[in-house]
Amino acid sequence: MTYFTLSLTLLFVLIPLLLAYFLKLGIEKDILVATVRSVIQLLIVGYLLQFIFDQDSPIFMILMVGLIIFAATHNARQKGVNYKGITWKLILTYVTIEVLTQAILIGLNITPATPQYVIPISGMVVGNAMVLSILFLNRLTSEVEDKQSEIELILSLGGSTKQAIHRQLITSIKASTVPTIEKQKTMGLVQLPGMMSGQIIAGADPIQAVQFQLLILFILLTTAILTSIMLGFLSYPTLFTEQMQLKQTFK
Amino acid sequence: MTETVLSLDHVSYTVDDLSIIKDMSGTIEQGKITAFVGPSGAGKSTLFRLLNQLKTHTKGTITFNKEDVLTIDPMMLRKKIGIVLQEGVMTPGTVYDNLALPRQLHDQTLSEEEALSFLDKVGLEARFLKTKAKELSGGQKQKVSIARTLVNQPDILLMDEITSSLDQVSTQAIETLIKKVNKDDHQTILWITHNIDQAKRLSDNTWVLIDGECRYQGPTDKLNEATDQTVIDFLEGGDES
């Protein structure tokens, strides 16, 4: 696609912009900011990836993955301010998921250890983990706030902190993973996944595109479950004091 | 001579520079019913949470059977000093599930026969055992709450305003139950009430808490002889809330 052709796609920005202006929706500025940001961010990433692919060095590849994990952590940690040490808990979760995924993919020769494969897959894996962790932290916080009398009841009967929070942890894990599982159920029926569509548009064999998409879907399923469980078990102790009391921030 | 099971020595509890319990001292006697009365915000519920360490006091010492509560494993302490919470909170499931909960928390089981004996103790019929807990009335929930706490066989039973939202019939039933548990099992009972007449009817001793301070502590039948003006004002105010 040439830059001229690309510039023609701005028509798809112009349509909502004009509609927003004439209908006085008040979202014109947001549309412009989103457009400019996406153009700049994606172009930078494009050139960055081009540079990394040209270097063919594992160091740049690892640095790029590190940058992805840093950005995801920075974004998700704002939802976990009530959880002491949330930054390190998120980093540990994302790094574990990334290492596990790449170990299986590269170790079993499913994908090669080249930046062309490692970086996009890492982006999808960590990106999904980031969304999952935000959903999980939001849900756990509201569960603890809503069900504090139930949590205190179990503590008051001599239960441990893990027993006290068990029901809320399970509910939060289930709630945060439901979108991933439900999306997977309707995959191909309601929508064609972005990566698969991209490959088909770029001229790839549809069956091969489907194979890659299935690979990603299965990885994302592991990511979803693992993120919630790991973050849950890392986070819940910070909700309680050493004397096994629910911390004041949640009351 | 009556044995002291619980004692407070200059206990305070402060949160964000707000003093909720102020320099409180006193003792609780074994096998007696002690009522805690006082206006809303006097610190009664907070005091109960300090006693079984759902909160930790910021100053002073609380001793249970001559042992500092801070040195006792919280899980063990909460079994020994059981609390019935104000709201009558039920966990999802049946009445049996709720009664079995304290045992499950310690990897033990509660037989149906034992569960029925606890129901009987609190005056609930056997048919309630398989009833969904959320379908119970307020009074029935409170009775199940008491039975559930009793499953742990606590040395001290704390009851936090458990009759405040109940009708007269349910309140009377709970009062009878408290008397029965105290008489039959020689159970030490501490309970919070807004109702001074209720305290007079049921308790051996009374503490009057006003603005985080204990302004009267002694036999309930001598409450009218209190000389502290804030206590006199509170007693004259009656059922203040």
Side-chain angles (χ1 to χ4, degrees), chain B residues 10-43:
Chain B
H10 298 288
V11 171
S12 297
Y13 178 69
T14 306
V15 179
D16 300 331
D17 297 330
L18 184 69
S19 284
I20 298 170
I21 299 291
K22 300 169 188 168
D23 197 33
M24 206 175 281
S25 296
T27 55
I28 298 294
E29 294 171 2
Q30 162 73 38
K32 298 282 167 103
I33 300 178
T34 307
F36 288 74
V37 296
S40 292

Side-chain angles (χ1 to χ4, degrees), chain A residues 149-161 163-164 167 241-246 248 251, chain B residues 13 49 53-56 70 74-75 78-79 83 85 89 91-92 101-102 104-106 148-149 152:
Chain A
S149 34
E150 207 177 295
I151 295 169
E152 283 212 318
L153 167 72
I154 292 171
L155 292 175
S156 76
L157 291 169
S160 66
T161 52
Q163 288 170 325
R167 202 183 293 273
T241 66
E242 276 183 25
Q243 282 292 99
M244 297 185 174
Q245 300 150 344
L246 194 58
Q248 203 67 31
K251 293 187 178 182
Chain B
Y13 178 69
R49 281 172 156 72
Q53 289 295 291
L54 281 175
K55 291 180 190 293
T56 299
L70 293 179
M75 288 165 70
R78 288 168 194 157
K79 274 184 78 180
I83 187 168
L85 298 166
V89 184
T91 57
L101 180 64
Q104 280 172 0
L105 294 174
H106 303 97
R148 187 176 54 196
T149 309
N152 270 338

Side-chain angles (χ1 to χ4, degrees), chain B residues 47 175 181 192 213:
Chain B
L47 177 64
E175 285 182 9
V181 170
I192 293 173
E213 291 179 68

